[in-house]
Amino acid sequence: MMKSVRFWLYFGCPYQTGAMKTKNTILSLLRRQNLTVNELADRLGVTRNAIIIPLKQLEADGLVDGKSRRGSGAGKPPTEFGAVAGTEDSDSGAYKPFLQKVINTLPSYLERHEIEKLMGEIGSSLAQEVKTDTSDSFEARLDAALQFLDGIGAGTSKEETETHITIRSYSCPLGRAVREDPCVCSAMERFFADVTGGDVREECKRDGRLLCQFIITPKD
Amino acid sequence: MMKSVRFWLYFGCPYQTGAMKTKNTILSLLRRQNLTVNELADRLGVTRNAIIIPLKQLEADGLVDGKSRRGSGAGKPPTEFGAVAGTEDSDSGAYKPFLQKVINTLPSYLERHEIEKLMGEIGSSLAQEVKTDTSDSFEARLDAALQFLDGIGAGTSKEETETHITIRSYSCPLGRAVREDPCVCSAMERFFADVTGGDVREECKRDGRLLCQFIITPKD
């Protein structure tokens, strides 16, 4: 979020910067209590119209939703808006340092082989989030895996030879954790194995420029 | 990153959308190999000028840096740009689901009291990232803790009474992990205790709308 604000400031697009600010203020108010458009306009000291666009955007982003206010007497009840439960962390930058600390601290609690097993389970569990069908071909399942990874920022590329397929990513989505402990790469090895059903070998390069690399061989 | 692109599209600001695309293309090229401005312009089929602004932005964001190209013969060596190691995950959305899986899976490997101890260590380790001085007052150390948390998206508020201070956040930066297992809240309890030196009691509300709440009593 911060990065985009910086980007706008750089280009001096004051309308968007203002709209962004209103959007954030509305979101932080609605995280505390449900409010109607009129109540929001009152709190912010702006017109109803100035509320409606950012509110619609927040709704489109899935951060806010509206419902009828209960117990508001006779007549049509007004619509009140509130933050959607489970979206409190939408602007969070905390997961990266927190996961890094977990990865750093685990070796005091678990043996290496237990950490490997734990990572395998995590990879399997991630694989279950990829939508595939048992009737899907190896290629279709691999593409679904890559689409899932690209969706979380991996930027994968695929190179096919006669015997195997190499998947590469120069923007490892778990880069920081991987630098701390390559056990994270074995989670991804298991992820690919579970989704594609193929044999997978992790060959990531972790010194200097990071390169994720998984060699996948389809089973006959 | 996606959210801001959606925002621009909504307002139809084609210049920024185009600049954003160029910026992303440059970054993905520089993650593969170091290139000069001329080489980038060639690859993208645009002028040098079209490269310079997005490149400067990437530099300002700390994602890219420039250095003299080695072994390029006589005369002043050209400057080549490359992605900064350790920034591969700058667009990543992977930390949240990965941490969530770790939190889900830990109970198969560790007893409850071990998980609590692990979380305490993580809180302590996070506390070490807050810049405080041993000579700082309780108030100064608390403010440093809140600044750190706001920096990772917490949006904290502080309420003081005669005997204690209540810290609240309606945008828990670890919301999803907290819903999976409140052990994450005890990491934050330890975080506050370590940074402020006070007695800390976690009273987060975790049903429906999430509310982080820590009661901190300064020690005499």
Side-chain angles (χ1 to χ4, degrees), chain B residues 2-164:
Chain B
M2 275 317 295
K3 203 174 292 166
S4 54
V5 170
R6 218 152 57 204
F7 189 65
W8 296 332
L9 289 175
Y10 195 93
F11 281 94
C13 206
Y15 174 56
Q16 294 193 349
T17 307
M20 188 70 197
K21 208 174 147 192
T22 309
K23 204 172 144 182
N24 286 338
T25 310
I26 292 174
L27 184 58
S28 82
L29 285 172
L30 295 182
R31 280 186 171 147
R32 286 156 199 261
Q33 60 182 128
N34 293 349
L35 294 168
T36 64
V37 172
N38 283 340
E39 287 162 350
L40 279 168
D42 278 354
R43 300 276 180 117
L44 271 74
V46 297
T47 61
R48 278 178 56 95
N49 279 337
I51 298 292
I52 288 168
I53 288 182
L55 193 62
K56 286 288 163 202
Q57 285 181 286
L58 289 168
E59 251 190 310
D61 288 345
L63 297 175
V64 151
D65 60 7
K67 47 198 158 271
S68 292
R69 177 167 288 179
R70 285 191 209 166
S72 46
K76 188 172 173 268
T79 301
E80 61 177 15
F81 293 85
V84 174
T87 62
E88 301 84 2
D89 52 6
S90 62
D91 297 338
S92 179
Y95 289 94
K96 194 192 289 198
F98 204 91
L99 179 65
Q100 185 203 357
K101 300 293 181 200
V102 175
I103 301 280
N104 284 344
T105 313
L106 271 183
S108 322
Y109 290 81
L110 295 173
E111 303 282 334
R112 178 66 10 196
H113 70 94
E114 291 173 305
I115 294 178
E116 290 292 329
K117 194 164 163 258
L118 171 73
M119 289 296 149
E121 276 189 49
I122 290 166
S124 273
S125 171
L126 276 174
Q128 283 167 27
E129 295 195 9
V130 181
K131 284 179 195 82
T132 54
D133 223 336
T134 42
S135 63
D136 285 347
S137 65
F138 170 79
E139 284 73 20
R141 279 177 278 133
L142 179 58
D143 285 344
L146 298 183
Q147 212 180 337
F148 176 84
L149 293 177
D150 289 345
I152 53 177
T156 57
S157 71
K158 186 169 76 170
E159 194 188 291
E160 298 184 48
T161 68
E162 290 211 353
T163 55
H164 64 265

Side-chain angles (χ1 to χ4, degrees), chain A residues 8-22:
Chain A
W8 295 331
L9 289 174
Y10 196 92
F11 280 95
C13 205
Y15 173 57
Q16 294 193 347
T17 307
M20 190 67 199
K21 208 174 149 192
T22 310

Side-chain angles (χ1 to χ4, degrees), chain A residues 143-158:
Chain A
D143 285 344
L146 298 183
Q147 210 179 341
F148 176 85
L149 293 177
D150 289 345
I152 53 176
T156 57
S157 71
K158 188 169 76 170

Side-chain angles (χ1 to χ4, degrees), chain A residues 75-89:
Chain A
K76 188 171 173 266
T79 301
E80 60 177 18
F81 293 85
V84 173
T87 62
E88 301 83 3
D89 52 6

Side-chain angles (χ1 to χ4, degrees), chain A residues 138 142 146 149 156-169 185-186 188-194 196-206 211-219:
Chain A
F138 170 80
L142 179 58
L146 298 183
L149 293 177
T156 57
S157 71
K158 188 169 76 170
E159 194 187 293
E160 299 182 50
T161 69
E162 290 212 356
T163 55
H164 63 266
I165 293 169
T166 305
I167 303 302
R168 290 199 183 87
S169 166
C185 303
S186 49
M188 298 319 294
E189 193 179 71
R190 177 73 164 272
F191 167 85
F192 278 115
D194 274 27
T196 66
D199 285 317
V200 184
R201 204 172 68 242
E202 172 258 302
E203 289 195 359
C204 304
K205 295 201 162 64
R206 288 175 284 261
L211 169 62
C212 304
Q213 202 163 234
F214 296 88
I215 319 293
I216 310 183
T217 316
K219 277 183 189 157

